[in-house]
Amino acid sequence: MERRLASAEETRAFAAEVGAAWGPGDVVLLEGELGVGKTTFVRGYLRSLGWEQAVRSPTFTLLQLYPTVPPVVHADLYRVGSTQGLGLEELLENHVALIEWPDRLGGWLDPDACWRVTLEFDGEGRRVSVRAPGGGAAAERRAPD
Ligand SMILES: Nc1ncnc2c1ncn2[C@@H]1O[C@H](COP(=O)(O)OP(=O)(O)OP(=O)(O)O)[C@@H](O)[C@H]1O
Ligand SMILES: [Mg+2]
């Protein structure tokens, strides 16, 4: 699924739309350059779960937990060398996990088992593409020739 997002509010609304499908155990890899809108996307998802308090970028805390339904863990791995000892793996089972800079995971998560949200700069706005788990191969198999 691909979409143009003309404003930060459209990024937040889009997160609510795609996030309606997520539940505990879903892992969302948030890809895209510095400042492209990954944390904005997380804010929109949390807002859709009724979270009204602040959503801070976990750049220093690395992980931020939200006692929403479903519970959410938001990770920002930008400053992380290794995710060993973070406790993220244990949290994945019963949270929706949204992970900025997932390349820092060092490969222990299978990207094909995750949702992938990729944001790109596009003039004043952004472009986003979303791939469901197993989406690549499954989508190709379903595609008519
Ligand atoms: N669709 C959009 N159009 C224009 N601006 C947007 C859009 N989505 C988000 N923004 C803006 O982009 C800026 C950066 O957003 P945000 O902090 O979410 O980026 P990030 O990808 O999390 O950055 P970092 O890599 O530093 O964590 C914010 O000012 C936000 O309002
Ligand atoms: Mg961020």
Side-chain angles (χ1 to χ4, degrees), residues 50-65:
W51 184 258
E52 290 175 352
Q53 296 166 57
V55 174
R56 294 201 178 80
S57 180
T59 310
F60 296 96
T61 55
L62 307 179
L63 299 183
Q64 196 69 57
L65 298 173

Side-chain angles (χ1 to χ4, degrees), residues 8-9 11-14 16 41-52 55:
E9 181 50 34
T11 301
R12 290 189 289 268
F14 180 74
F41 182 95
V42 175
R43 286 195 181 100
Y45 176 59
L46 283 163
R47 186 180 66 182
S48 77
L49 300 181
W51 184 258
E52 290 175 352
V55 174

Side-chain angles (χ1 to χ4, degrees), residues 114-126:
C114 301
W115 290 81
R116 294 177 78 169
V117 173
T118 307
L119 287 153
E120 287 172 285
F121 290 100
D122 181 16
E124 305 272 286
R126 309 288 191 263

Side-chain angles (χ1 to χ4, degrees), residues 54-114:
V55 174
R56 294 201 178 80
S57 180
T59 310
F60 296 96
T61 55
L62 307 179
L63 299 183
Q64 196 69 57
L65 298 173
Y66 295 90
T68 45
V69 181
V72 169
V73 55
H74 176 200
D76 184 333
L77 306 180
Y78 186 65
R79 301 167 59 85
V80 163
S82 148
T83 54
Q84 272 197 347
L86 263 186
L88 180 58
E89 200 167 357
E90 294 70 42
L91 291 165
L92 297 184
E93 282 176 37
N94 52 1
H95 289 70
V96 174
L98 298 118
I99 306 176
E100 299 188 40
W101 302 101
D103 51 309
R104 311 296 203 262
L105 288 167
W108 60 262
L109 253 179
D110 174 12
D112 277 344
C114 301

